[in-house]
Amino acid sequence: MNPGRLEKQIRFLVEADKLKDIYRRSFLVNGSRKENDAEHSWHFALCALVLREYADEPDLDLLTVLKMALVHDLVEIYAGDTYIYDAAGRETQAAREREAADRLFPMLPREQAEEFRRLWMEFEEKRTKEARFAGAIDRLQPLLLNYFSGGESWREHGVNAEQVFEITSRISEGSMTLWEYARGLIREAVDGGILPG
Amino acid sequence: MNPGRLEKQIRFLVEADKLKDIYRRSFLVNGSRKENDAEHSWHFALCALVLREYADEPDLDLLTVLKMALVHDLVEIYAGDTYIYDAAGRETQAAREREAADRLFPMLPREQAEEFRRLWMEFEEKRTKEARFAGAIDRLQPLLLNYFSGGESWREHGVNAEQVFEITSRISEGSMTLWEYARGLIREAVDGGILPG
């Protein structure tokens, strides 16, 4: 074994700890505080594990989906979380995240750096069935938090049903069943007065 | 699709959100606060992904290891986190966690409840190569946090090098390379004055 190799891997894993301090806009279900990217990544992976039967392309590789869940937000350690309803932030997001990837992934040994970058790009581009299902789960999970925490994040940011509908419609690219379910939740949120119609 | 089935799965995933509020004894690397179980589960899975080449039994199934990482602490939603150096707590831990499993996993459809319980038991029993490597990573990850955060958690709980050595020696059941590395870290922690020798 090359001892420098393990040292590099450990330094990367210690740097990755910073994902626990990147906060998102969604609240935990109990409403006590906002969720961070590390928790989201775990919950995303757990949702994928439980809900994989609803993928429209059923022969997908679950291992690849789980790897994407673990890796997809790492660039936010340097680029920060960009709120999905922040149009200005989203214009610069791609460039900021590419710079972050150029800084973060090369901490790993070369072939692992390439694998992590490939997983991140695959998730971003949504050209594979694994990425489409992962993308669906990545939109469903915050919808669950926002709905079951009573809509606090929607209120805080003045978001309405049309915006939620548009953003979560990405779910339909990976799972029509989950998209049907999500549409039902949005309707219930409007009917229940926790999301402006 | 059976609509009751998806509702059950969603209720389970919403209940699982509570793992984000189960706090551990380790501090984040930046020392700002303690880590919770959801963050730990993500970091454990990421460590397994990066370090799998060091497993002593190299033909292991990474998908199973990642599933264990995602699932292994879920019972703590009801049983709480038992500090690994708390001998009294550890006496009742198995019974408390079994009760928690009986309450949590049956929220899922039957065959998923059985899969989750099997993964959790497999991890606990350490009879498979996947469980032994997962167990090694589960002990290495907090050692990294404790060392790179400057030993605050060790100080807070009055833990010495002999205790850390004994608990982390479990790493040797899954990876001699990582155990050599861990022993080096413990020695450096003692030499650096952040862990009583």
Side-chain angles (χ1 to χ4, degrees), chain A residues 147 154 161 183-197:
Chain A
Y147 178 85
W154 291 327
R183 282 169 56 184
L185 270 197
I186 296 169
R187 274 193 302 270
E188 283 178 37
V190 172
D191 293 347
I194 64 170
L195 178 65

mmCIF file of all heavy atoms in Angstrom, chain A residues 147 154 161 183-197:
data_model
loop_
_atom_site.group_PDB
_atom_site.id
_atom_site.type_symbol
_atom_site.label_atom_id
_atom_site.label_comp_id
_atom_site.label_asym_id
_atom_site.label_seq_id
_atom_site.Cartn_x
_atom_site.Cartn_y
_atom_site.Cartn_z
ATOM 1 N N TYR A 147 -43.884 19.580 3.644
ATOM 2 C CA TYR A 147 -45.289 19.260 3.910
ATOM 3 C C TYR A 147 -45.481 18.830 5.370
ATOM 4 O O TYR A 147 -46.324 19.372 6.080
ATOM 5 C CB TYR A 147 -45.779 18.161 2.958
ATOM 6 C CG TYR A 147 -47.211 17.765 3.224
ATOM 7 C CD1 TYR A 147 -48.257 18.482 2.660
ATOM 8 C CD2 TYR A 147 -47.517 16.696 4.071
ATOM 9 C CE1 TYR A 147 -49.585 18.140 2.930
ATOM 10 C CE2 TYR A 147 -48.835 16.353 4.339
ATOM 11 C CZ TYR A 147 -49.858 17.074 3.773
ATOM 12 O OH TYR A 147 -51.158 16.742 4.040
ATOM 13 N N TRP A 154 -41.891 27.130 3.168
ATOM 14 C CA TRP A 154 -42.617 27.805 2.090
ATOM 15 C C TRP A 154 -43.036 29.218 2.537
ATOM 16 O O TRP A 154 -42.900 30.173 1.799
ATOM 17 C CB TRP A 154 -43.873 27.002 1.701
ATOM 18 C CG TRP A 154 -43.581 25.706 1.017
ATOM 19 C CD1 TRP A 154 -42.536 25.433 0.184
ATOM 20 C CD2 TRP A 154 -44.361 24.497 1.096
ATOM 21 N NE1 TRP A 154 -42.617 24.127 -0.259
ATOM 22 C CE2 TRP A 154 -43.731 23.537 0.282
ATOM 23 C CE3 TRP A 154 -45.525 24.129 1.774
ATOM 24 C CZ2 TRP A 154 -44.226 22.237 0.125
ATOM 25 C CZ3 TRP A 154 -46.025 22.838 1.611
ATOM 26 C CH2 TRP A 154 -45.373 21.908 0.795
ATOM 27 N N ALA A 161 -47.913 27.545 -4.650
ATOM 28 C CA ALA A 161 -48.118 26.187 -5.160
ATOM 29 C C ALA A 161 -47.589 26.021 -6.581
ATOM 30 O O ALA A 161 -47.044 24.966 -6.934
ATOM 31 C CB ALA A 161 -49.604 25.819 -5.106
ATOM 32 N N ARG A 183 -47.999 15.364 -6.349
ATOM 33 C CA ARG A 183 -49.080 16.292 -6.728
ATOM 34 C C ARG A 183 -50.207 16.267 -5.710
ATOM 35 O O ARG A 183 -50.789 17.312 -5.378
ATOM 36 C CB ARG A 183 -49.618 15.930 -8.115
ATOM 37 C CG ARG A 183 -48.707 16.427 -9.225
ATOM 38 C CD ARG A 183 -49.074 15.857 -10.568
ATOM 39 N NE ARG A 183 -50.450 16.119 -10.924
ATOM 40 C CZ ARG A 183 -51.045 15.644 -12.029
ATOM 41 N NH1 ARG A 183 -50.335 14.894 -12.869
ATOM 42 N NH2 ARG A 183 -52.281 15.921 -12.301
ATOM 43 N N GLY A 184 -50.493 15.083 -5.208
ATOM 44 C CA GLY A 184 -51.522 14.969 -4.166
ATOM 45 C C GLY A 184 -51.127 15.746 -2.911
ATOM 46 O O GLY A 184 -51.951 16.444 -2.309
ATOM 47 N N LEU A 185 -49.843 15.639 -2.529
ATOM 48 C CA LEU A 185 -49.375 16.365 -1.336
ATOM 49 C C LEU A 185 -49.501 17.867 -1.533
ATOM 50 O O LEU A 185 -49.892 18.594 -0.612
ATOM 51 C CB LEU A 185 -47.905 16.048 -1.058
ATOM 52 C CG LEU A 185 -47.521 14.870 -0.165
ATOM 53 C CD1 LEU A 185 -46.068 15.037 0.280
ATOM 54 C CD2 LEU A 185 -48.434 14.710 1.034
ATOM 55 N N ILE A 186 -49.137 18.336 -2.739
ATOM 56 C CA ILE A 186 -49.200 19.781 -3.006
ATOM 57 C C ILE A 186 -50.660 20.253 -2.909
ATOM 58 O O ILE A 186 -50.959 21.285 -2.302
ATOM 59 C CB ILE A 186 -48.584 20.117 -4.389
ATOM 60 C CG1 ILE A 186 -47.086 19.762 -4.397
ATOM 61 C CG2 ILE A 186 -48.783 21.592 -4.735
ATOM 62 C CD1 ILE A 186 -46.425 19.793 -5.781
ATOM 63 N N ARG A 187 -51.569 19.458 -3.495
ATOM 64 C CA ARG A 187 -52.999 19.814 -3.404
ATOM 65 C C ARG A 187 -53.459 19.854 -1.947
ATOM 66 O O ARG A 187 -54.161 20.773 -1.526
ATOM 67 C CB ARG A 187 -53.845 18.789 -4.175
ATOM 68 C CG ARG A 187 -53.989 19.089 -5.669
ATOM 69 C CD ARG A 187 -55.093 18.225 -6.301
ATOM 70 N NE ARG A 187 -54.849 16.792 -6.140
ATOM 71 C CZ ARG A 187 -54.166 16.040 -7.021
ATOM 72 N NH1 ARG A 187 -53.673 16.574 -8.129
ATOM 73 N NH2 ARG A 187 -53.994 14.758 -6.786
ATOM 74 N N GLU A 188 -53.028 18.858 -1.182
ATOM 75 C CA GLU A 188 -53.420 18.832 0.242
ATOM 76 C C GLU A 188 -52.828 20.015 1.005
ATOM 77 O O GLU A 188 -53.447 20.537 1.932
ATOM 78 C CB GLU A 188 -52.967 17.522 0.900
ATOM 79 C CG GLU A 188 -53.864 16.344 0.544
ATOM 80 C CD GLU A 188 -53.381 15.040 1.175
ATOM 81 O OE1 GLU A 188 -52.899 15.065 2.320
ATOM 82 O OE2 GLU A 188 -53.467 13.997 0.495
ATOM 83 N N ALA A 189 -51.603 20.412 0.611
ATOM 84 C CA ALA A 189 -50.969 21.557 1.276
ATOM 85 C C ALA A 189 -51.772 22.831 1.002
ATOM 86 O O ALA A 189 -51.973 23.660 1.898
ATOM 87 C CB ALA A 189 -49.526 21.718 0.784
ATOM 88 N N VAL A 190 -52.259 22.979 -0.224
ATOM 89 C CA VAL A 190 -53.079 24.154 -0.563
ATOM 90 C C VAL A 190 -54.413 24.080 0.183
ATOM 91 O O VAL A 190 -54.820 25.038 0.854
ATOM 92 C CB VAL A 190 -53.310 24.241 -2.091
ATOM 93 C CG1 VAL A 190 -54.317 25.341 -2.417
ATOM 94 C CG2 VAL A 190 -51.979 24.493 -2.811
ATOM 95 N N ASP A 191 -55.054 22.906 0.106
ATOM 96 C CA ASP A 191 -56.351 22.748 0.790
ATOM 97 C C ASP A 191 -56.230 22.978 2.296
ATOM 98 O O ASP A 191 -57.142 23.499 2.931
ATOM 99 C CB ASP A 191 -56.930 21.337 0.537
ATOM 100 C CG ASP A 191 -57.305 21.141 -0.923
ATOM 101 O OD1 ASP A 191 -57.360 22.152 -1.674
ATOM 102 O OD2 ASP A 191 -57.545 19.981 -1.323
ATOM 103 N N GLY A 192 -55.101 22.564 2.831
ATOM 104 C CA GLY A 192 -54.907 22.684 4.286
ATOM 105 C C GLY A 192 -54.412 24.052 4.708
ATOM 106 O O GLY A 192 -54.178 24.291 5.894
ATOM 107 N N GLY A 193 -54.176 24.958 3.732
ATOM 108 C CA GLY A 193 -53.807 26.333 4.064
ATOM 109 C C GLY A 193 -52.344 26.511 4.459
ATOM 110 O O GLY A 193 -51.973 27.531 5.027
ATOM 111 N N ILE A 194 -51.495 25.543 4.138
ATOM 112 C CA ILE A 194 -50.068 25.715 4.482
ATOM 113 C C ILE A 194 -49.245 26.109 3.249
ATOM 114 O O ILE A 194 -48.034 26.290 3.337
ATOM 115 C CB ILE A 194 -49.461 24.466 5.161
ATOM 116 C CG1 ILE A 194 -49.445 23.249 4.221
ATOM 117 C CG2 ILE A 194 -50.204 24.129 6.448
ATOM 118 C CD1 ILE A 194 -48.646 22.072 4.766
ATOM 119 N N LEU A 195 -49.902 26.235 2.100
ATOM 120 C CA LEU A 195 -49.215 26.657 0.865
ATOM 121 C C LEU A 195 -50.191 27.508 0.067
ATOM 122 O O LEU A 195 -51.289 27.049 -0.258
ATOM 123 C CB LEU A 195 -48.795 25.415 0.066
ATOM 124 C CG LEU A 195 -48.096 25.655 -1.280
ATOM 125 C CD1 LEU A 195 -46.745 26.340 -1.080
ATOM 126 C CD2 LEU A 195 -47.882 24.319 -2.021
ATOM 127 N N PRO A 196 -49.817 28.771 -0.278
ATOM 128 C CA PRO A 196 -50.723 29.622 -1.051
ATOM 129 C C PRO A 196 -50.984 29.004 -2.436
ATOM 130 O O PRO A 196 -50.061 28.588 -3.120
ATOM 131 C CB PRO A 196 -49.955 30.949 -1.201
ATOM 132 C CG PRO A 196 -48.899 30.929 -0.148
ATOM 133 C CD PRO A 196 -48.555 29.485 0.051
ATOM 134 N N GLY A 197 -52.252 28.935 -2.833
ATOM 135 C CA GLY A 197 -52.636 28.287 -4.099
ATOM 136 C C GLY A 197 -52.279 29.102 -5.333
ATOM 137 O O GLY A 197 -51.815 30.229 -5.244
#
